[in-house]
Amino acid sequence: MLKTAVLPPNGVFSHRERKTLSDEMARTLASLGWEQVSVRFPGTLPLAHNKICALARDPIQAWLNAEGRPVVQDQAKWLVPQIKER
């Protein structure tokens, strides 16, 4: 079971604490039997997260993150039927 992380008094987790939390989250998620899908967006800027969720708060972000729309559409094709089954 995933433990609740308590923020230290200084508000910053140490490198070891972050690594431990990250490892525990990865193990817990892996135990759920999820299918992991890797997506690669070429480029020099670290914008993959924004592209994966197709972030579009304004026209510039919509243009920058347009590559992520097919990813979001594919996620929706899988997710919507799962939700309807519940």
Side-chain angles (χ1 to χ4, degrees):
M1 174 179 268
L2 189 61
K3 299 172 196 157
T4 302
V6 178
L7 195 60
N10 68 357
V12 179
F13 287 110
S14 70
H15 175 70
R16 182 181 299 156
E17 290 168 323
R18 285 192 309 271
K19 176 78 171 119
T20 301
L21 289 168
S22 177
D23 290 348
E24 187 175 349
M25 286 190 296
R27 275 192 309 276
T28 303
L29 287 171
S31 74
L32 296 174
W34 294 13
E35 182 177 336
Q36 184 176 357
V37 177
S38 296
V39 179
R40 183 178 187 280
F41 296 106
T44 56
L45 296 175
L47 300 173
H49 180 269
N50 291 348
K51 288 182 180 187
I52 287 173
C53 65
L55 185 65
R57 291 184 184 145
D58 58 56
I60 293 172
Q61 283 185 335
W63 176 76
L64 285 172
N65 300 319
E67 290 177 295
R69 285 191 184 154
V71 175
V72 172
Q73 290 169 346
D74 194 47
Q75 290 171 342
K77 284 180 191 174
W78 181 86
L79 189 58
V80 169
Q82 302 295 322
I83 293 169
K84 286 182 177 180
E85 286 179 10
R86 292 180 182 215

